Every structure is written in C-alpha cells, then in structure tokens.
Amino acid sequence: FLPTKNNRRMRAIDREIRMILRGIIGKKERAIKNNEASSDDLLGLLLESNMQQANGKANLGMSIEDIIEECKLFYFAGMETTSVLLTWTLIVLSMHPEWQEQAREEVLHHFGRTRPDFENLSRLKIVTMILYEVLRLYPPAIFLARRTYKAMELGGIRYPAGVNLMLPLIFIHHDPDIWGKDAKEFNPQRFADGISNAAKHPAAFFPFGGGPRICIGQNFALLEAKMALSTILQRFSFELSPSYIHAPYTVLILQPQHGAQIRLKKI
Ligand code: HEM
C-alpha cells in the first residue's frame, strides 16, 4: 500500500491492463448487441451467456469487474504455463536427441509434412509420453495453495481455520519412493501404460492440480502443445546452444532462469 516505486509501477500496470480489457469487453459487447460478432471465442461466449443470465437486470450475472478478472485469469493461467511447457520440452528434447528423433518419426508417420489435425493429434503416443514426462520434471506450477476455511483434520493433523497449506507438487513428482530410482531422470517410457501406471501411486502425477479446482484448460493446453511441437518437429531439428545454462527457477512458474538458447536447423 505504500507509494514505493514498485507499488506505483504495479498500480500503473494494473490500471493500464484494466483500461485495455474494458475497451476489448465494451467493443465485443457492442458487437454482440448489434449482431455483428460471432461468439466463437471465449470472451464472446462468456459475454453472451452473461447477457442471457442478466436479462437486462444490472444486479444479475457477472459485473464488468468480474469479467475483467476472468480475462486476467485465463490470460495468466493459459499463456505462461503452456509456453513454458513448450520451452522445457524443446530444452529436454535437445538434451535427449534419441527422444527428439522418436517424436519426429511419430509426427511424420501421422502427418507427413501436412498440417496436424485434431483427430490425429490425439493419437500421438510418444509425443504425449514426452509432454507428461516434461510436466512431471518441470511442472509449470510447482505447488498448489489452499486455506482451511474451518477447523479440520488432514493426514492425522488438526488445523484451525485460516491456515495456509502448500502442496509442493514438484517434490511429489521427483520423489524416488514414488517414481523409482530414476525419478530425477527424463524417461518418458514410464508413461507408456498411461498416467495411473507410471508411479507407485496412481495420483502421484498432477501437474494440472486435482479435485474441483483442477485446471479447466488442461485438454486445451495439451492439444496446443502437441500442435506446436508437431509443427516444429516437422520442420526443424534442434539442439542446445553452448550458451545455455540449465537453471530451473521460479517466478510464479518454473522457468529457465537464463532463457532457452536453442539452435534450430531446417530439415
Ligand atoms: C501446461 C499448461 C497448464 C498447466 C500446467 C496448468 C496448471 C494449472 C493448475 C495446477 C491449476 C490448479 C490450481 C489450483 O488448484 O490451485 C490450474 C487452474 C486453472 N487453469 Fe490451468 N494450467 C495450464 C494451462 C491452462 C490453460 C491453457 C488454460 C485456459 C485456456 C488454463 C486455465 C486455468 C483456469 C481458469 C484455472 C482455475 C480453475 C479454477 O480455479 O476453478 N490453464 N491450472
């Protein structure tokens, strides 16, 4: 709350983002009202459903502030996570050219040089195993946070209301007692028989969270990642540049601290 340099900058950025989003939302709302917009994007669907719910009454449906928050959530939850998954995948496949080659063979087998289609993307087995293994070793969200809303007992421990709990999913993803001695190694083969058979515990892999708040975009994210990775594999082989330094670190999400310097070679 203090007017420090950082806080002032944060507030200015927040104001700017809200102004831009208000503009986008207003434009879309006007277009929907004038029957000029198709609601084939998420914002269009949200606004249209909200207008039907509210039915002209201001106190029903979501407010503009709510919609702004949804836009921010979807942008943050959907962009960085999926792009960092792709970044780690390119890094790891550069470190393991034998898996890069297997993935390329699979992609070329299904699509040749043509544009990957939805139907066949869901048939990619090696690529899926690779993405799972990357999500296991480098989960974009390294922990889940929860707060007890009432006194409760969890795992034999009693907590009062209002306790912040952190579930460090990265530690569970790297635990040799759960994944075996090679827990720290990149081995997509462990997912050959599906997620529930990959570890000693069927729920040990949860890069998208779990329960009622599980990631709403998980299927979309995997589809996007498969599409992007297949398109890259079709056109390029890649390796790490000597300037790459392997330093996973977290600023909200797990990312390579010094960037991902990768050399692409057209094939
Ligand atoms: C590799 C990509 C992604 C990863 C690893 C990921 C991970 C997660 C995780 C762990 C949560 C649960 C947070 C919690 O339980 O506290 C979550 C929630 C969420 N994700 Fe994702 N996500 C990804 C992509 C996406 C995409 C593409 C979208 C949208 C298009 C999206 C939208 C959301 C939303 C809206 C929530 C909140 C759901 C709720 O609270 O009910 N995510 N995500």
Side-chain angles (χ1 to χ4, degrees), residues 60-108:
L60 292 176
M62 291 167 82
S63 67
I64 291 292
E65 286 307 303
D66 293 337
I67 292 172
I68 289 177
E69 290 307 313
E70 286 300 311
C71 292
K72 279 164 54 184
L73 172 65
F74 269 84
Y75 181 77
F76 172 70
M79 278 287 292
E80 290 276 302
T81 45
T82 314
S83 71
V84 87
L85 163 61
L86 260 177
T87 306
W88 283 122
T89 306
L90 293 187
I91 291 173
V92 171
L93 288 184
S94 299
M95 291 170 167
H96 298 272
E98 70 287 4
W99 282 103
Q100 184 184 144
E101 205 35 57
Q102 278 195 61
R104 181 170 299 106
E105 266 170 32
E106 184 182 46
V107 168
L108 293 177

Side-chain angles (χ1 to χ4, degrees), residues 151-202:
M152 57 179 74
E153 191 176 316
L154 287 171
I157 302 172
R158 276 206 68 75
Y159 297 96
V163 173
N164 290 324
L165 297 167
M166 309 278 263
L167 183 57
L169 71 88
I170 192 165
F171 292 163
I172 298 168
H173 279 188
H174 288 209
D175 188 342
D177 289 343
I178 299 173
W179 296 90
K181 278 201 209 103
D182 68 346
K184 303 265 186 289
E185 283 157 36
F186 177 72
N187 175 17
Q189 201 58 41
R190 68 178 93 243
F191 285 102
D193 296 321
I195 289 175
S196 48
N197 294 310
K200 286 186 189 145
H201 195 290

Side-chain angles (χ1 to χ4, degrees), residues 73-74 77-78 81-82 85 140-141 144 146 207-209 213 215-217 220-221:
L73 172 65
F74 269 84
T81 45
T82 314
L85 163 61
L144 302 180
R146 292 290 182 273
F208 295 104
R213 306 309 292 255
C215 175
I216 202 169
F220 181 70

